[in-house]
Amino acid sequence: MVDEETGAPDSTAVRTALWRAMHVQVDPPPHVLEDEIGLRLAAPDADWRRRPDMDPDATRGFRAAMVARARFIEDLIAERAGHGVTQYVILGAGLDTFAQRRPETASRVRVFEVDQPGPQAWKRHRLDELGYGVPDWLRLVPVDFEASEDWLKQLAAAGFDAGRPAVIVSTGVTMYLTEEATAATLRQIAGLAPGSTLAMTFLLPAELLDAADRPGLRASKEGAQAAGTPFISFYKPPEMLELAREAGFEDVRHVSGASLAERYFADRADGLRPSSGEDLLLATT
């Protein structure tokens, strides 16, 4: 358990924030996503770039995948906001910085960041320290998932209107959950107002990865196991689509990592491309 007052974000959230910053610092432009605010929030040691998991060459595919999925989601938010959707829910928000980097878009919607109480209290403190604060349109919603708190109930208490459409995002979570737990979350979201959209990432089985990316998946699995947060669920795209249909979604789509590579990394002189292994479910009520 993380202490509610002093708990810091988990290592996965920090690593993602650092990779996003590395994309700006070591990859040549054009940058798919410009985010060094997460680095400022995390405030790592001065030698953070020397960490083995920050090796600029060994991790280039991973950091490209992180910025690709973030860019896709932020493009989705902008598009849905343009169609009148005014609620954006981030499940397991970690060190997400959309509200700080894109206030012109974020302030047009109400952003709900859902996370464990400890890391979220820590993030609120850091936002205050850095001068960003928490504007009225940004709601930090603490939910103790380990105690099986109802996140929808907590969301409603924070001002979420279940009768109005929303965009709900869950990235980097399903691999830690049983299929039953993911199905339960899908059913909850499928019951939201018509026109609501879910974007959820999932990991592919090793046999569907490019051969060059399989050692990276194996290393990630071993690292997660050693950290006490093992990967327990992998999905073939048709399996994830069927899970969403069974949960009650009317429109389900598979967004492959390869399609994001084509969308955001085509014709780069440096050859930077996202690693394979993580795809997205895009489902609408």
Side-chain angles (χ1 to χ4, degrees):
M1 292 291 290
V2 184
D3 182 82
E4 184 167 339
E5 295 302 321
T6 63
D10 65 31
S11 59
T12 302
V14 172
R15 186 182 302 114
T16 298
L18 300 187
W19 277 344
R20 286 163 61 144
M22 279 194 71
H23 176 56
V24 178
Q25 296 185 5
V26 306
D27 297 324
H31 295 124
V32 175
L33 187 86
E34 295 189 0
D35 180 11
E36 293 183 284
I37 294 177
L39 170 62
R40 295 183 66 201
L41 285 170
D45 294 337
D47 62 350
W48 67 272
R49 288 271 295 271
R50 298 190 184 92
R51 288 170 38 165
D53 59 352
M54 293 295 129
D55 181 281
D57 293 321
T59 65
R60 67 197 312 259
F62 291 121
R63 69 174 176 269
M66 292 298 102
V67 297
R69 79 181 187 191
R71 173 66 181 273
F72 173 80
I73 286 167
E74 294 189 7
D75 286 352
L76 173 67
I77 298 306
E79 185 270 331
R80 297 307 298 150
H83 285 83
V85 173
T86 59
Q87 300 183 108
Y88 172 31
V89 180
I90 311 171
L91 298 178
L95 294 178
D96 189 276
T97 59
F98 172 73
Q100 291 75 46
R101 289 180 298 103
R102 302 280 302 277
E104 73 290 345
T105 301
S107 61
R108 293 164 53 199
V109 300
R110 181 164 286 178
V111 181
F112 298 87
E113 293 193 8
V114 180
D115 212 340
Q116 288 283 122
Q120 194 170 83
W122 178 93
K123 184 177 184 181
R124 182 186 291 274
H125 178 68
R126 289 293 294 142
L127 288 172
D128 287 339
E129 281 188 330
L130 293 174
Y132 292 105
V134 181
D136 183 64
W137 44 263
L138 174 59
R139 304 294 172 90
L140 302 185
V141 186
V143 176
D144 190 345
F145 294 104
E146 294 178 5
S148 300
E149 280 191 348
D150 187 337
W151 63 271
L152 271 178
K153 183 177 179 181
Q154 300 296 100
L155 206 56
F160 180 78
D161 185 352
R164 295 164 55 201
V167 174
I168 302 92
V169 167
S170 173
T171 59
V173 175
T174 58
M175 71 281 264
Y176 301 112
L177 305 177
T178 64
E179 181 177 320
E180 292 74 17
T182 295
T185 298
L186 288 170
R187 286 192 296 271
Q188 286 179 299
I189 298 171
L192 296 177
S196 295
T197 301
L198 166 69
M200 174 182 278
T201 62
F202 60 95
L203 289 188
L204 302 173
E207 65 268 20
L208 296 186
L209 270 63
D210 296 340
D213 294 329
R214 291 173 190 170
L217 173 64
R218 184 164 57 249
S220 295
K221 286 178 65 177
E222 291 171 354
Q225 181 77 40
T229 54
F231 295 170
I232 59 177
S233 294
F234 299 83
Y235 300 90
K236 296 178 180 178
E239 294 172 341
M240 180 54 79
L241 293 179
E242 183 58 25
L243 204 61
R245 289 192 192 97
E246 290 176 352
F249 284 97
E250 294 185 2
D251 178 32
V252 298
R253 283 188 284 158
H254 166 227
V255 180
S256 69
S259 71
L260 298 186
E262 288 304 313
R263 181 180 302 193
Y264 299 120
F265 293 85
D267 303 321
R268 287 186 66 96
D270 61 350
L272 181 66
R273 301 277 288 190
S275 56
S276 60
E278 183 180 71
D279 286 1
L280 279 133
L281 163 71
L282 195 63
T284 304
T285 56

